[in-house]
Amino acid sequence: MHEVAALPPRPRHRQRYAALLFIAVMLSWAGVMAALQYLSLAQRFSAELATQARIVGQGATAALVFEDAREAAQLLAVLAAAPQVHSARLLHDDGRLVAQYEREDRKDWVSALAGLETVAQPVRIDQRQVGWLVLEGSRDAVLRDVAKFSAGGLGIMAAAMVLLRFASRGLRASVRAAEEHTRHMALHDALTGLPNRAAFHHALEQAVAPGARAHALLFIDLDNFKQINDTHGHPGGDRVLRVVAQRLRERVAPGGIVARLGGDEFALLLDAGDQPLDAAGRIAEDLVRRIPEPIDFEGRRLRVSVSVGVALLPHDAATADDAMQCADAAMYLAKREGKDAWRLYSPALGDEIRARLSLEADLRAAIEARQLHLHYQRIFDAGGRVVSMEALLRWQHPVRGTVMPSRFIELAESSGLIAELGLAALHCVRRDLDAARRAGVPLPRIALNLSSHQFRRTAHRQRFLAALDELALTPAQLEFELTETAVFEDISQPGSILRALRERGYALAIDDFGTGYSSLSYLRRLQCSKLKIDQSFIRDLGSSEEAVAMVQSMIDVAHALHMQVVAEGVETEAMRARLVQMGCELMQGFLLSRPQPVEALLEPCLRDAPPLPPAPAGVPRDAALPAS
Ligand code: C2E
Ligand code: MG
Ligand code: MG
């Protein structure tokens, strides 16, 4: 397996330089201290020599006056007890020598090096000078003392340096260990111990470098991992991630690297040899088959499948980022085509992804530039009265023209832009209601579509509810539509947006009924006021008895649960008549009204005139709209 690079060794010459510098500084310091010590001892030596000369000089007056050479010699011989005195001479005032003394045993090299200091002491009687005592002292004792002092100091310094070296070696070892640990943490994932995204990126850069061998990159994403976390909590999720990491590790041959990129995403980089496709295919197939083997967790058996995207390098990409995008795109294809599978990257897939990315960037800009607006499609009751109208987003792109929701809602959901898009739709509703108020045209209640992806984060739910309050959109003005799947996903959550909306008094409709779970027990719990039968059933009403039976049973179930039924996609008079006959009370479709911009609703002459059925006596057509 590729290993994540270790710390580079510290340059040795730097260490040596630092040690030499340290020694030089210490020696200089020792030199300065020795010099100071020498000066101080030399000063004391001079003072002592002068004192001795004074004392001996005072005792020599009689010998000088009586010119007693013997007594003078005896007096000077006393100096033998003063080891620093090298020689002494007693002289008459006129310079004649009376007596002299010289030490015999001071001829060594230290004495020669130390040099002599001479003190000439005048000998006086009652202020009258009678002669001189000249003493010569050897500074060898001073030198020896300074040498001893320096040797002691250097010894202590050397011992300190040795100790310091040991201590610093230990310290350096622990600093280095701490550095290694920090580096390991920075390059590895704490949960699984695998290299992380940064480390993997580094390895990937080497794999796409010019001249590198052929590699296969596998992008691995666990399927429905969120469900495992939701059902078994984070300990369950962590256990699954650890086991998957281990299974991946076991499947990586030497020279390969496996990493956890974050969340439930892993990646594998393999040396693919001469047959990269075969090698990558084999291992991808093996992963898809083996990873889902049951995992024991607290007496239960968890199972998680994977979707794998494969890119071949350097064939598919020349940079690490591109390589990741290719493998990610292939993984996304595996997910889109039903998960639990592996897919290979192809240039066509790349084009599709690029187009998607470009559309996503445009959509992001469009939300900011307010290029999105709403069209409204009126919903009628069986008597032809408008009861409400559905708001449908339209994107007016300067180059692409009008972009329909089928092209951008799913994109907004997968890219996370849906929360912003939902808020933008709310602002459009407010703008259109204000325009209608200014024009003096009362509008029927607006039904706004919601996506469950809009509310996956608590912060998004809170922002949506805050925007509803801020824009003062009341339950009389607004109701909401959600698909069954979205409703079921939301209602089981603790912070259910549906519950929050219902508590605020907003009416809710289940959209596209019949295309999702269609669970009757859930339907009972939901307490929605409307059920919108998906247009695929309505379309087949004229041709399929089965569709008739299904629509009839949906109408019956809805009525049993005290819900109103809306038939979507009513395109022909025959459909309308059949639905009225079956007891469906509300209808929406091109037969009755096409989605149109708010301006059309505000200008009576622009409003479309649907071929409405004859209304029962006494019921005005299009009652909620002003007469055209
Ligand atoms: P939906 O909520 O089921 O909206 C009804 C769709 O059926 C609309 O398509 C409408 O134009 C179309 N339709 C209405 N009557 C007929 C008919 O007689 N025949 C046929 N063939 N189609 C008819 P549209 O506007 O393209 O919207 C498609 C979907 O996009 C909507 O389905 C809704 O799920 C989603 N959508 C639209 N606006 C929004 C929005 O503001 N937020 C969210 N989250 N989704 C939206
Ligand atoms: Mg709808
Ligand atoms: Mg619908």
Side-chain angles (χ1 to χ4, degrees):
M1 227 199 278
H2 269 286
E3 252 322 306
V4 178
L7 271 185
R10 241 169 240 268
R12 274 208 156 273
H13 69 272
R14 274 232 217 130
Q15 289 178 21
R16 225 170 276 149
Y17 176 74
L20 283 177
L21 191 70
F22 179 73
I23 291 172
V25 168
M26 293 311 278
L27 284 178
S28 311
W29 176 245
V32 169
M33 293 304 288
L36 288 175
Q37 179 77 357
Y38 178 81
L39 287 177
S40 145
L41 289 177
Q43 211 173 7
R44 198 165 350 134
F45 171 80
S46 302
E48 279 175 11
L49 201 63
T51 308
Q52 260 164 352
R54 223 171 19 254
I55 295 167
V56 175
Q58 276 166 6
T61 46
L64 269 177
V65 171
F66 300 111
E67 295 200 12
D68 185 345
R70 230 181 105 237
E71 192 185 332
Q74 275 175 358
L75 183 73
L76 295 185
V78 172
L79 291 169
Q84 72 273 35
V85 176
H86 175 72
S87 68
R89 276 172 295 146
L90 191 64
L91 303 166
H92 269 294
D93 198 29
D94 55 8
R96 273 180 298 119
L97 181 70
V98 179
Q100 79 171 5
Y101 156 81
E102 188 148 358
R103 188 177 285 274
E104 289 295 316
D105 54 346
R106 283 298 163 87
K107 296 283 190 285
D108 63 357
W109 63 272
V110 182
S111 313
L113 189 71
L116 299 172
E117 183 168 333
T118 307
V119 176
Q121 174 67 37
V123 181
R124 293 190 178 94
I125 302 172
D126 300 336
Q127 307 299 325
R128 186 173 64 86
Q129 184 169 328
V130 291
W132 292 92
L133 175 68
V134 180
L135 281 193
E136 275 183 339
S138 169
R139 288 200 207 94
D140 63 340
V142 171
L143 205 62
R144 280 176 216 280
D145 281 357
V146 170
K148 270 189 230 155
F149 170 82
S150 302
L154 283 174
I156 290 172
M157 248 160 54
M161 270 176 65
V162 170
L163 280 178
L164 213 69
R165 194 165 159 69
F166 274 117
S168 76
R169 197 180 280 175
L171 200 69
R172 243 185 291 135
S174 47
V175 167
R176 204 156 166 74
E179 278 177 356
E180 284 288 0
H181 182 66
T182 313
R183 187 181 160 84
H184 185 88
M185 299 281 285
L187 294 176
H188 289 81
D189 164 50
L191 180 71
T192 59
L194 289 179
N196 63 12
R197 185 182 284 273
F200 190 76
H201 194 266
H202 181 69
L204 197 53
E205 273 175 339
Q206 290 171 349
V208 291
R213 295 158 58 87
H215 278 81
L217 168 63
L218 284 80
F219 194 109
I220 301 141
D221 192 285
L222 307 192
D223 297 331
N224 309 321
F225 181 65
K226 188 175 173 296
Q227 263 175 23
I228 295 212
N229 261 338
D230 288 349
T231 323
H232 303 282
H234 284 287
D238 287 356
R239 164 103 181 115
V240 168
L241 289 172
R242 277 203 207 96
V243 173
V244 169
Q246 184 52 33
R247 289 180 183 173
L248 288 172
R249 223 185 248 127
E250 285 161 8
R251 274 158 188 82
V252 179
I257 179 169
V258 55
R260 181 178 174 213
L261 303 179
D264 60 350
E265 289 176 356
F266 294 85
L268 250 163
L269 184 64
L270 306 168
D271 191 330
D274 301 336
Q275 305 279 318
L277 183 54
D278 289 353
R282 237 185 350 264
I283 188 142
E285 189 64 47
D286 184 44
L287 293 179
V288 170
R289 219 155 23 92
R290 292 293 177 76
I291 300 278
E293 282 171 8
I295 296 167
D296 293 328
F297 175 69
E298 294 180 349
R300 279 165 291 180
R301 309 201 88 192
L302 311 186
R303 193 183 168 279
V304 67
S305 63
V306 289
S307 298
V308 182
V310 180
L312 302 179
L313 309 177
H315 180 268
D316 291 335
T319 68
D321 286 340
D322 284 355
M324 283 305 267
Q325 267 181 19
C326 293
D328 189 16
M331 187 279 293
Y332 175 75
L333 183 68
K335 288 255 184 220
R336 205 172 59 184
E337 293 183 355
K339 305 178 180 175
D340 196 10
W342 69 276
R343 290 287 177 271
L344 184 67
Y345 173 81
S346 70
L349 180 60
D351 291 346
E352 190 191 318
I353 299 292
R354 268 185 288 281
R356 214 178 141 79
L357 285 175
S358 143
L359 193 68
E360 184 186 323
D362 279 6
L363 180 60
R364 199 179 294 274
I367 295 172
E368 277 172 25
R370 296 189 172 194
Q371 284 175 359
L372 291 147
H373 56 271
L374 292 168
H375 277 196
Y376 295 95
Q377 186 180 28
R378 286 171 292 166
I379 298 172
F380 297 82
D381 68 10
R385 281 171 299 208
V386 175
V387 289
S388 61
M389 53 187 196
E390 179 169 7
L392 298 159
L393 270 175
R394 297 290 180 265
W395 172 10
Q396 209 53 49
H397 190 278
V399 179
R400 299 176 197 268
T402 305
V403 188
M404 297 299 278
S406 54
R407 280 197 65 199
F408 65 84
I409 293 291
E410 189 269 327
L411 176 75
E413 286 177 343
S414 62
S415 64
L417 281 172
I418 191 73
E420 294 302 323
L421 197 73
L423 291 174
L426 270 191
H427 281 89
C428 286
V429 169
R430 180 71 268 166
R431 243 190 354 250
D432 294 346
L433 283 173
D434 290 345
R437 185 173 36 81
R438 280 195 301 275
V441 178
L443 292 182
R445 191 149 68 176
I446 293 171
L448 190 66
N449 289 287
L450 298 179
S451 157
S452 62
H453 291 71
Q454 252 169 282
F455 306 110
R456 292 218 163 134
R457 292 206 192 152
T458 315
H460 290 163
R461 285 197 290 271
Q462 287 166 349
R463 267 178 76 196
F464 188 84
L465 293 173
L468 269 181
D469 294 343
E470 190 191 313
L471 297 171
L473 292 165
T474 65
Q477 295 167 317
L478 196 59
E479 63 184 36
F480 296 102
E481 293 186 7
L482 270 108
T483 61
E484 305 164 72
T485 320
V487 169
F488 295 138
E489 197 178 298
D490 172 87
I491 207 75
S492 53
Q493 288 191 5
S496 155
I497 186 81
L498 284 190
R499 227 173 291 139
L501 291 174
R502 217 170 34 208
E503 278 162 17
R504 284 161 190 248
Y506 292 102
L508 304 173
I510 298 181
D511 207 354
D512 305 342
F513 189 73
T515 57
Y517 297 127
S518 307
S519 151
L520 297 185
S521 68
Y522 261 114
L523 210 53
R524 233 180 70 204
R525 275 179 54 198
L526 293 174
Q527 299 170 10
C528 291
S529 48
K530 283 181 193 151
L531 190 81
K532 297 186 76 172
I533 300 176
D534 189 67
Q535 39 182 290
S536 54
F537 297 96
I538 309 300
R539 199 180 300 131
D540 294 344
L541 269 185
S543 55
S544 150
E545 273 315 304
E546 222 172 49
V548 174
M550 287 182 81
V551 170
Q552 187 63 65
S553 55
M554 286 183 214
I555 294 172
D556 293 344
V557 165
H559 286 168
L561 296 170
H562 312 293
M563 299 167 90
Q564 285 188 304
V565 181
V566 185
E568 293 186 309
V570 180
E571 291 182 348
T572 64
E573 177 53 33
M575 286 178 189
R576 192 202 64 81
R578 188 77 198 254
L579 284 161
V580 172
Q581 190 194 358
M582 291 167 83
C584 174
E585 52 269 86
L586 301 173
M587 273 161 244
Q588 175 182 4
F590 293 166
L591 171 73
L592 308 165
S593 168
R594 284 190 175 261
Q596 49 199 321
V598 71
E599 294 76 22
L601 298 175
L602 304 183
E603 288 292 335
C605 58
L606 292 179
R607 223 184 314 145
D608 62 356
L612 288 182
V619 178
R621 283 182 166 205
D622 230 0
L625 291 169
S628 47

